Amino acid sequence: MTPQDGRRPIKRSTVSDQQRRRELALVRQAQQRSDSQNRARRLASSVLALHSSPEPALPDDAIEPERAPEVDWAQTEADLTESEAPVRDLNVAQASKLRGREARRWFAHQLMLPEWMIDVPPHLDRDWYVFARPAGSRCFVVSSNGTTISRLRNGSVLHYFPSSLPNGSRTRDMSGPASSYCILDCIFHEPNQTYYVIDMVCWRGYSLYDCTAEFRFFWLNSKLAESGACNPTSTYHRYTFSVVPIYDCDQAGLHAAYTSVVPYVKDGLLFYNKHAHYQTGNTPLALVWKDNYCSEYFLDTDSKGLVPTQQQAFAYSRKPVGFDPSFVDCHQVTKFAEAISLSVYHVVLEIQDDGRLTTSDDPPVVFGCVEADFIQKSGLRAGNLLRFAVRDESVSLVDGKLEIGDLQFVSKANRARAFADSYSKVRKKIDLISP
Amino acid sequence: MAMEVTQILLNAQSVDGSVRKHAEESLKQFQEQNLSAFLLSLSNELVSNEKPVDSRKLAGLVLKNALDAKEQHRKSELAQRWLSLDIAVKAQVKACLLQTLASPVPDARSTASQVIAKIAGIELPQKQWPELIGSLLSNIHQLQPHVKQATLETLGYLCEEVSPQVVDQDQVNKILTAVVQGMNASEGSSDVRLAATRALYNALGFAQANFSNDMERDYIMRVVCEATLSQEVKIRQSAFECLVAISSTYYDKLASYMQDIFTITAKAVKEDEEPVALQAIEFWSSICDEEIDILDEYGGEFTADSDIPCYYFIKQALPALVPMLLETLLKQEEDQDQDEGAWNLAMAGGTCLGLVARTVGDDIVPLVMPFIEENITRPNWRQREAATYAFGSILEGPSPDKLTPIVHVALSFMLTALMNDPNNHVKDTTAWTLGRIFEFLHGSTVETPIITPENCQQILTVLLQSMKDVPNVAEKACGALYFLAQGYEDVGAASPLSPFYQNIIEALLTVTRREDAGESRLRTAAYETLNEIVRCSTDETAPIVMQLVPVIMMELHQTLEAQKLSSDEREKQNELQGLLCGCLQVIIQKLGAAETTKYGFMQYTDQIMDLFLRVFACRNATVHEEAMLAIGALAYATGTNFLKYMQGFYPYLEMGLQNFEEYQVCAITVGVVGDLCRALEDKILPFCDGIMTQLLKDLSSNQLHRSVKPPIFSCFGDIALAIGENFEKYLIYAMPMLQSAAELSAHAVADDDDILEYTNQLRNGILEAYSGILQGFKSSPKTQLLMPYAYHILQFIDTLYSEKDMDDAVMKTAIGVLGDLADTLGSHVGPLINQSVSSKGFLEECLSSDDGLIKESADWAKLAISRAVSG
């Protein structure tokens, strides 16, 4: 006796894994097709930003034009033709799928790195945002394909975890396509195990690289919470995410950023130019200010985020250059202005194949040179990062440019370092120790 | 000639192979040389009462095969050939056939009935042979029962072949009257009554109008119910088959008969012979099917304006129905678990009970629990098995809230039973029930977990031990492990299975190597479970999966080394190769998807690819399909590096694209072309001429299953996106095909869900092709080449919008294409887009869609359009 047509005996209704394999393969293919389509479409959020909120034209004197051509909004927009489709967007989509070494290499060069604030930019109150930087490891957080990966500045993986970010975990109700990857610029704050999102580079496959900071922050504030990423942790959401309060850089904003109590340990203030796009590498359109009131780590930190003992003894001898924190209460000023007693500082420079020692800027600034036999003896290669001690009496300013007479080799830099110091960082360090 | 035909037909059934072959050749030749003469001599053979019955029967069969084929394309070809024959020839053939219905030889009559129905299937839709039904009906009034019987049988076949639309209501009424009269208890001949009952089964689809008329319906139902009480078991069975068909076709007309139907089905289940009792149970299963569908559709909220109301027959019958079904569970057969095709009262009863549970949910639990408690510890294995089976059957349907407390208590009992019960049937059903528990009450979506860290180890110990039991029990234990693992698929890094992972894999591999793994599909179950275990591996256990790669590769290698196999052994070998390729596919996808494992895996790709290419040398569709899927996954994992395998792989890719018969292989190969495009990007260019040629051939083929066509269009998009403006040379072929397919699909009359679904798949494929092509040409100086197609593409989207029957997927793709058009062609299409309805109404509709994906695509389109229009 055989069953009625189509009536499957309940005990025989075994799963067809073959059918499942077929279906899973189709799902994978459909997701990838949609990925490549979106990559090709380069979902132009920059245009979106333009159309939704027209930007005031940026004053010409705000920045040096050759260092920040992408800020020239009006012009860029007018020239925005198909042929100028920024290659970088393509990179973002592809990068979200990079794995292993390639991923490390790529991500190591993708963070926007602030310069030290050695000058107060004009129109600070109008064109800039300020916020208190949470202490912790700066990292990229990428959610795609059902997982979330955070990578440190050198591209190495910090965490590999499920999150409520779009496509950040494999939940049953896979809402959204595989193309919905996100890339967030974050700081991982150890004490409360929280990722503080300080910038949004890509959201649900939309690239925000070519959007102004103003738009990126607006998008960040409206979209992050919506995704559930700010909710408490759960099985599918290992770490919670949080935004930081961002203020306009007027007096009240600065005061709030500097003094208000936040749920995280502060590590300086970050200043972002409202009109700047997300630019990888060092940029003068993002600035960092640290003093020992608003930062525990006001000098360099090592790979573990700890301040080397040598530096902990450093203190502040003078008011910071050019930046008058007159908005701060008097007693707070005294707190953050303390003396530096040691006059030696370490800088990290990259060795070039001709032996020149350079900063991480593009183009690099040369601070010295080592001889061929030194390179040979110490087994160094071009690209190595070296730590040098600088004594303040060997430092001088020539035509406004910093020159260092005597660099003393200390050691190879910590392996976790991906970059040499930037010119502005060296200058900031030197400023601190120079009388 | 006539004499000769008789001999040829007899020879064609000879025991001597060469005689048979020669005869078949002659028939074929005859058919090819002169079809008319051939058909005439066959029908003469069939009608001649003095000819041997064997030659007459075969003559009818050959005649039938000259009119009809399974394969759709061939079928319509044969129909056309019949229609084009000389009218006199056809008339003579038909006359012979009708005359045969009066033959005293039952086999001749029966064959003729079938041939008549086939011709009716061809001619009635063409409005030919209008006198057929009239002349059949005139036979009914003949006194000879065998003519009546043959005529009713012919009417039954006719209703099966012809769609209700081509027979007018007047004739339908006459057919039904004849059939129902034949079924009546007053009919003296039971042969006639049986033929009439079977004919009604096929004629039910014609009775729409009659079932809407209370009096006619009452009459038909009364006759059917009376027939279920006939002396003849075949009539009773056939009458119950009619009731089953009525339950699904006329569910909404049954309310006033349910009380009576319950009484007669209960009686049949209790005391009638098995074939009848099985149909009686099937009636209730069928009612469950209907109510599950209805309740599904309305999400449980039935409102007065719903199309089909739910009458809750099952809920009302529940207190009587459940005890009736529970009784059947005790009527097991001794060897039912070893026999794949077994179907008996206990199995049908349990299956029905499962459906009842899905229909009514929580309400079934209190009705079944006393039975379980009463029987589960009895010394008689039948009682223990029936109790366990009842429990397993009701696990899908009731809420977890209702079941979880019971399962908590039952779980450890079940684990003990699986280890210690002396009876194999009980163990088999226990392992199956555990699998059902894990399937429905375990996993990330379940609030109160059934499995805790404490009992997880115990469960695994029992299941792994049970995998050493007899094949049917071991197979069920594998199934339970499958669902246990599936529940942990989303658990993330800290999977409770991790500590046991190595043991699980070893145990499964041991099962696959058991001497008796060929029984009860044990080997298949073990590999399927292994696949699921691989899918739910975590970072922690990935190294163990990595170790599995060389093991599976070695197994596959061994199957390829085996020499000189018998055809039976070869079939088994192919099955094993399919399983191994499937397993490798799952492993590749798993290890290739995570950066932590991808690079380690790459060391094996050369060898794996080598094995796959050797697998293609064996001719077996399932194996090809599995290997193809695995290669797609491999291409995804290796990216551009896949290029080095292309030379070796390409011939098999082309072979796959040419495989019309096994269209699944073709469909999967088309998908793999997409994978290759994304992996190789423009490096696929050298292979595109061949691939495009093949795809274009596939599209123009009538033989290729239609389901492959939408993915082929999507594949055009994949290729264009990969090779960019190099797609130029294919435009003149691809674009006209897309255009005509677009026109066809835009206005498709989709009056049933299947056709609408297919139409939407086709639209989606076409739109994906447009999207890929437009994006592929973006930023190219050759963008202008697409301008001539812009108008058509816009018109297609406009039409889709006005037809209002797109599904969400099509909507998303369509609005995306609108954006792509604007993005790639920019200001050149600005005015065109401005004039289109899509750029306004459709865009607005998509922008305000609740579906995030549609909205996202619409946002994109809006930006692109505003740029194109303003620029």
Side-chain angles (χ1 to χ4, degrees), chain A residues 295-306:
Chain A
S295 171
E296 282 191 1
Y297 318 104
F298 118 72
L299 293 172
D300 203 5
T301 54
D302 67 13
S303 62
K304 297 189 185 83
L306 301 174

Side-chain angles (χ1 to χ4, degrees), chain B residues 623-641:
Chain B
V623 182
H624 279 206
E625 195 187 323
E626 294 285 3
M628 212 32 112
L629 279 172
I631 287 175
L634 192 73
Y636 166 60
T638 49
T640 343
N641 290 331

Side-chain angles (χ1 to χ4, degrees), chain A residues 20-22 32-33 236, chain B residues 444 490 532 625-626 636:
Chain A
R20 184 131 184 263
R21 284 197 293 282
R22 225 178 254 155
Q32 285 171 260
R33 172 173 296 129
Y236 303 107
Chain B
S444 58
D490 322 322
E532 189 53 37
E625 195 187 323
E626 294 285 3
Y636 166 60

Side-chain angles (χ1 to χ4, degrees), chain B residues 783-784 787 824-832 868:
Chain B
T783 306
Q784 289 307 312
M787 271 310 288
T824 296
L825 296 175
S827 54
H828 302 289
V829 286
L832 213 53

Side-chain angles (χ1 to χ4, degrees), chain B residues 32 81 102 188 191 221 339 374 382 467 472 545 553 556 560 593 598 617 629 637 642 698 754 761 771 804 820 833 860:
Chain B
E32 278 161 12
R81 266 201 359 224
D191 284 347
M221 290 302 290
D339 177 7
E374 162 74 22
R382 287 178 189 278
M467 276 153 53
N472 61 301
V545 177
M553 277 166 57
L556 184 56
L560 292 163
K598 186 169 158 182
L629 279 172
F642 193 84
D698 285 353
D754 285 347
Q761 282 167 359
S771 188
K804 300 281 177 216
D820 293 331
I833 289 180
W860 143 255

Side-chain angles (χ1 to χ4, degrees), chain A residues 256-332:
Chain A
Y258 194 76
T259 61
S260 63
V261 177
V262 282
Y264 51 83
V265 180
K266 289 185 197 173
D267 181 19
L269 299 180
L270 279 169
F271 297 81
Y272 275 66
N273 186 296
K274 290 181 184 177
H275 313 291
H277 292 189
Y278 194 94
Q279 189 197 357
T280 58
N282 286 104
T283 168
L285 297 173
L287 301 168
V288 60
W289 169 259
K290 292 192 188 190
D291 60 42
N292 59 0
Y293 173 73
C294 68
S295 171
E296 282 191 1
Y297 318 104
F298 118 72
L299 293 172
D300 203 5
T301 54
D302 67 13
S303 62
K304 297 189 185 83
L306 301 174
V307 181
T309 44
Q310 221 177 344
Q311 288 175 23
Q312 283 173 345
F314 281 27
Y316 215 30
S317 63
R318 38 169 289 205
K319 276 167 72 176
V321 179
F323 176 43
D324 183 7
S326 55
F327 51 87
V328 184
D329 292 347
C330 276
H331 67 278
Q332 282 161 350

